[in-house]
Amino acid sequence: MNMMASNHSYEHLHPLSLLPISTSLNQVKQIQAFTIKSQFHNDAHILPKLIDSCTQNPSPSSMDYAQQLFDQIPQPDIVRFNTMARGYSRSNTPLKAISLFITAISHGLLPDHYSFPSLLKACAIAQALHEGNQLHALAIKLGLTQNVYVSPTLINMYTQCHDLDAARRVFSNILDPCVVSYNAIITCYSRSSRPNEALSLFREMQRKKLEPTHVTMLTVLSSCALLGALHLGKWIHQYVKKKGFDKFVKVNTALIDMYAKCGSLDDAISVFQRMSVKDTQAWSAMIVAFAIHGQAQKAISMFQEMGKARIQPDEITFLGLLYACSHSGLVEEGCHYLYSMNADYGIIPRIKHYGCMVDLLGRAGRLDEAYKLIDELPIKPTPILWRTLLSACSSHGNIELAKQVMERILELDDSHGGDYVILSNLCARAGRWEDVDSVRKLMIDSRVVKIPGCSSIEVNNEVHEFFSGDVSTALHRAVDELMKELKMVGYVADMSLVFHADMNDEEKEISLRYHSEKLAIAYGLLNTSPGTTIRVVKNLRVCGDCHSAAKLISCIFDRQIILRDVQRFHHFKDGRCSCGDYW
């Protein structure tokens, strides 16, 4: 629409009165033309306001135009530089904010407490740690590190640049940290998968009687989800309701995610059903919740309900659907949803969507199709895609394809210990010990180590962690007794899962006996009341032997065991698992 089409209607208006109703860059350009025609172009307020309008929702073209306007200001002050820096920090070229800052310095201007948030945000987005360090040094020199705007953005910059120690040092040096600074450091630990530290800081906030915000709640709930700490999560839920944070859609969505990842699907459903307003993220969270709990048909039904409610899906929605299909063997349905993303909704599939498809095809034994899918992707494949296929090759015993896949992985990343372990174990199962030795030598030469298995369980509001093979004497005896009871009902350790030619059968059985998930389950049996559900979180994929043992334990002790591994949830009850042994 041409705002100046009826020129006579606007000839007595000041151009600035038109800016609030402008909705596009073309309209901003028309307003500038109008200022020139109506002799307003000498007004010192015009250019800054036009620039501000261009930087509100920056696009490449709007920032280019803003720069052209900025270059027309004879002597821009720091306020004008801040406006441009803020625009660039929100754009797809954030480091131009740094270039602009260098120009400001050359004009004899120094940044103020409004400059640093934009500049540090630009460094965070671009992960420009070197530039961020230099800005930090300047902030110290100018005495701005205690500023309520500067210190949180410093913490965020270091978090985004993966320097947690520096982020913590910034926080520790704040004399009187406010809620915003606490939010920044709590988010730092939560995003860095260190939930215990995040929750510890939240408790520190409470001791100081600082009132949290809904942002605090989002990060705290995320930390509970990472830990699988259901009882703590329920306490946080009560706190959320008491403080009125349940009016925020994002907080309710975080509650759905927390309950789902803590193994309480019923609570997740309850939160969703009680929401008066449900956006795309809330629907997607519920679809993902059903997916990770192996309830593919409910995930699909939820997607259909979402359509009836006229809520548009997004990337996460389809990720949940594809994940659900993957863990239930719904190959044709998965292919349909991948096609539908772009064809019906204009959503371009990303690496994670293709990863789900590779997993889906791989689980179904269609390994060659999975290889071809990765090889012909329209985007560059990541090591994770090839690792997904490597796991499928291992599950189906295809050594030759696994070797080809391993070559593709090593071209991209040779530092992941799990890759070597998977191939080594696959060769060991086939008795190809020369290949095993070759892979292990390659692993040693690359100086990579295997990630130890770790499982956690929440008992009496405290999270306890266990590492494979690392047990106390009391727990050691408890696991031994547990294994004796399992043997009485037919349990036989699956020693084919231990791949050491120099181990005898007794040593192999002992190696399996003290896997971290068995330790956590034994601890739960010892320290919770009969009939109580045992909830365990593991950092790796649950092994077949522990899976079989958990089924028997659920039957013998009449306990429901909910185990979350790196891929999905397993609900063990009455000697059966929700995954139907397809995982």
Side-chain angles (χ1 to χ4, degrees):
M1 177 180 175
N2 190 333
M3 295 180 70
M4 304 301 142
S6 302
N7 219 25
H8 61 279
S9 302
Y10 297 100
E11 57 187 6
H12 299 298
L13 291 177
H14 194 285
L16 293 183
S17 66
L18 299 173
L19 278 175
I21 62 172
S22 64
T23 58
S24 68
L25 178 59
N26 281 337
Q27 289 180 351
V28 174
K29 289 180 177 180
Q30 289 177 38
I31 292 171
Q32 192 206 7
F34 178 48
T35 65
I36 296 170
K37 184 176 180 180
S38 54
Q39 302 299 312
F40 279 108
H41 61 284
N42 291 322
D43 187 331
H45 296 93
I46 294 291
L47 282 179
K49 290 293 184 181
L50 289 169
I51 291 168
D52 189 57
S53 182
C54 290
T55 58
Q56 289 300 318
N57 296 294
S59 65
S61 55
S62 72
M63 285 309 301
D64 285 345
Y65 191 65
Q67 185 68 57
Q68 291 175 29
L69 296 174
F70 179 80
D71 291 339
Q72 295 176 32
I73 301 176
Q75 292 182 314
D77 57 17
I78 194 61
V79 176
R80 310 305 166 217
F81 275 101
N82 288 348
T83 300
M84 288 296 295
R86 186 169 60 249
Y88 278 127
S89 72
R90 297 172 179 170
S91 73
N92 61 353
T93 54
L95 286 183
K96 284 188 177 181
I98 306 299
S99 301
L100 195 73
F101 164 66
I102 294 169
T103 303
I105 294 287
S106 70
H107 281 72
L109 298 174
L110 285 178
D112 59 15
H113 61 282
Y114 292 115
S115 313
F116 279 99
S118 295
L119 296 170
L120 290 166
K121 180 181 179 181
C123 292
I125 294 170
Q127 295 192 6
L129 181 59
H130 178 67
E131 289 81 356
N133 283 331
Q134 291 178 313
L135 285 168
H136 187 183
L138 182 59
I140 293 172
K141 183 178 178 180
L142 296 175
L144 292 173
T145 53
Q146 298 293 322
N147 184 270
V148 69
Y149 297 112
V150 177
S151 54
T153 49
L154 270 170
I155 294 169
N156 181 63
M157 183 275 293
Y158 282 121
T159 301
Q160 295 286 84
C161 293
H162 311 292
D163 192 342
L164 269 66
D165 291 338
R168 182 67 201 220
R169 284 196 299 272
V170 171
F171 179 78
S172 298
N173 287 330
I174 301 173
L175 299 176
D176 187 20
C178 64
V179 173
V180 179
S181 294
Y182 267 101
N183 286 349
I185 193 65
I186 291 172
T187 301
C188 167
Y189 282 118
S190 181
R191 286 181 179 173
S192 303
S193 297
R194 290 170 61 174
N196 284 317
E197 288 96 327
L199 293 171
S200 176
L201 285 159
F202 173 64
R203 295 186 187 100
E204 185 179 298
M205 270 185 71
Q206 291 182 299
R207 287 194 297 272
K208 290 184 176 182
K209 300 191 183 304
L210 286 172
E211 283 294 317
T213 66
H214 76 283
V215 174
T216 320
M217 294 297 100
L218 292 175
T219 51
V220 168
L221 287 168
S222 176
S223 297
C224 290
L226 284 169
L227 282 172
L230 179 63
H231 293 295
L232 180 57
K234 285 192 170 184
W235 181 87
I236 297 295
H237 189 181
Q238 293 304 313
Y239 187 87
V240 161
K241 289 193 283 189
K242 179 182 176 182
K243 295 293 184 178
F245 292 123
D246 53 347
K247 66 185 178 185
F248 293 97
V249 176
K250 285 187 176 181
V251 172
N252 284 315
T253 302
L255 281 165
I256 293 169
D257 181 66
M258 181 275 293
Y259 277 126
K261 288 179 179 174
C262 288
S264 184
L265 187 57
D266 288 342
D267 282 317
I269 293 169
S270 177
V271 172
F272 180 80
Q273 289 177 338
R274 290 176 183 174
M275 290 176 68
S276 57
V277 177
K278 303 180 181 80
D279 61 6
T280 298
Q281 286 70 39
W283 282 91
S284 298
M286 202 62 241
I287 289 170
V288 171
F290 283 123
I292 62 177
H293 283 272
Q295 299 193 23
Q297 293 303 331
K298 287 187 177 180
I300 291 170
S301 295
M302 182 64 64
F303 178 66
Q304 293 168 345
E305 289 297 315
M306 185 179 180
K308 291 176 184 176
R310 299 186 182 280
I311 303 294
Q312 281 293 109
D314 63 7
E315 294 177 5
I316 304 299
T317 316
F318 282 99
L319 197 60
L321 287 168
L322 291 170
Y323 195 90
C325 293
S326 172
H327 286 272
S328 298
L330 304 176
V331 178
E332 300 309 319
E333 290 86 344
C335 291
H336 163 73
Y337 287 125
L338 185 69
Y339 172 79
S340 177
M341 282 182 68
N342 194 5
D344 299 330
Y345 299 96
I347 301 171
I348 306 299
R350 297 184 181 272
I351 283 291
K352 287 186 177 181
H353 300 101
Y354 289 116
C356 283
M357 280 305 301
V358 171
D359 190 46
L360 176 55
L361 294 170
R363 288 175 189 275
R366 293 160 66 164
L367 303 177
D368 290 334
E369 289 180 57
Y371 188 99
K372 184 179 179 183
L373 174 64
I374 301 174
D375 209 31
E376 297 178 354
L377 277 183
I379 51 180
K380 184 180 179 180
T382 62
I384 294 174
L385 284 184
W386 291 112
R387 285 184 185 119
T388 302
L389 181 53
L390 183 66
S391 295
C393 290
S394 176
S395 298
H396 293 281
N398 192 325
I399 294 177
E400 298 311 316
L401 185 59
K403 286 184 173 181
Q404 293 180 47
V405 171
M406 187 67 173
E407 288 176 5
R408 301 298 291 268
I409 292 173
L410 296 180
E411 289 172 4
L412 300 169
D413 178 15
D414 64 355
S415 65
H416 196 275
D419 304 330
Y420 301 89
V421 173
I422 290 172
L423 184 57
S424 173
N425 291 349
L426 174 57
C427 294
R429 279 203 304 273
R432 293 170 59 163
W433 297 107
E434 287 186 8
D435 286 335
V436 172
D437 291 339
S438 176
V439 173
R440 288 181 179 170
K441 183 180 183 302
L442 188 62
M443 186 175 182
I444 292 169
D445 292 342
S446 300
R447 296 182 179 180
V448 295
V449 294
K450 180 183 177 182
I451 298 172
C454 175
S455 295
S456 62
I457 182 171
E458 183 189 29
V459 176
N460 296 325
N461 294 324
E462 186 176 352
V463 177
H464 304 266
E465 288 186 332
F466 302 92
F467 290 87
S468 293
D470 180 20
V471 293
S472 66
T473 304
L475 193 54
H476 194 284
R477 288 196 296 267
V479 174
D480 290 344
E481 291 301 317
L482 179 60
M483 290 301 107
K484 286 180 184 177
E485 291 194 55
L486 293 187
K487 286 179 179 179
M488 291 175 64
V489 294
Y491 166 76
V492 178
D494 187 356
M495 289 177 288
S496 68
L497 296 172
V498 183
F499 311 106
H500 292 279
D502 54 345
M503 273 190 180
N504 60 38
D505 285 352
E506 183 180 356
E507 289 171 326
K508 289 181 178 180
E509 183 179 343
I510 290 172
S511 173
L512 288 169
R513 186 182 303 169
Y514 304 123
H515 275 192
S516 65
E517 53 266 64
K518 288 192 183 81
L519 301 178
I521 291 171
Y523 186 87
L525 290 171
L526 286 173
N527 294 282
T528 59
S529 304
T532 304
T533 298
I534 294 173
R535 302 173 191 274
V536 173
V537 177
K538 185 176 181 183
N539 66 330
L540 303 173
R541 185 174 184 265
V542 61
C543 83
D545 185 74
C546 290
H547 192 270
S548 298
K551 287 196 290 186
L552 286 172
I553 293 169
S554 72
C555 185
I556 295 171
F557 294 92
D558 193 25
R559 295 284 197 112
Q560 183 176 9
I561 300 170
I562 300 177
L563 193 157
R564 183 182 104 195
D565 71 7
V566 72
Q567 293 187 329
R568 61 168 297 155
F569 274 91
H570 299 267
H571 294 250
F572 300 97
K573 189 175 182 181
D574 301 327
R576 293 186 295 273
C577 180
S578 60
C579 73
D581 297 335
Y582 186 88
W583 90 95

